[in-house]
Amino acid sequence: MPRITPNLWFDTQGEEAAAFYCSVFPNSRITHVAHYGEAGPRPAGTVLTVDFELDGQRYVALNGGPEFTFDEAVSLSIDCADQDEVDHYWTKLSEGGEEGPCGWLKDRYGLSWQVVPRRLEELLADPDAARADRAMKAMLGMKKLDVAALEAAADGTA
């Protein structure tokens, strides 16, 4: 199967954004930077694309201009092992951005992320529908997801 690579459209901040994302995620790196040539449409020498990897997943940042911006129709979801990972990614990615509901945020470049603890998925899939509903109700009232609060809600002790 061919490799699928998400391409992220930026105005002019592709290289800056790629460097930021690589600083947030382990085992990440910028692998190539290409520049516009004389044919344009941007000035020769300015950054065209930045190839980068976030923990082995390849991405391309394209400096395509102001015509398109990010919205919540597309987001990147982070599968967090525990509350420490949730806290780490939430803090780093929301800095200069905007916190949203239910574990969603927009980073400083406008890209939407979902910072989700694995435990939430387990609670929402609980065979006891009442436990799952209580966890869902608790999640709907949160911005950054809190594993202990989700568990307490599922258990009916919150």
Side-chain angles (χ1 to χ4, degrees), residues 108-120:
R108 64 183 81 168
Y109 305 101
L111 182 59
S112 291
W113 297 83
Q114 297 176 57
V115 184
V116 183
R118 284 184 204 134
R119 185 69 179 126
L120 175 63

Side-chain angles (χ1 to χ4, degrees), residues 80-100:
C80 297
D82 54 30
Q83 188 67 50
D84 287 341
E85 282 191 2
V86 169
D87 293 346
H88 168 77
Y89 291 114
W90 186 268
T91 299
K92 294 285 187 180
L93 292 169
S94 66
E95 183 178 311
E98 179 183 330
E99 295 182 357

Side-chain angles (χ1 to χ4, degrees), residues 119 123 126 128 130-132 134-135 147-158:
R119 185 69 179 126
L123 291 168
D126 195 296
D128 179 342
R131 286 191 88 236
R134 288 190 299 266
V147 174
L150 290 166
E151 289 175 340
D155 293 339
T157 60

Side-chain angles (χ1 to χ4, degrees), residues 116-146:
V116 183
R118 284 184 204 134
R119 185 69 179 126
L120 175 63
E121 293 176 25
E122 295 165 359
L123 291 168
L124 295 179
D126 195 296
D128 179 342
R131 286 191 88 236
D133 286 347
R134 288 190 299 266
M136 173 64 89
K137 183 176 180 182
M139 186 229 15
L140 292 172
M142 296 179 180
K143 286 191 178 220
K144 179 177 76 171
L145 300 182
D146 180 325

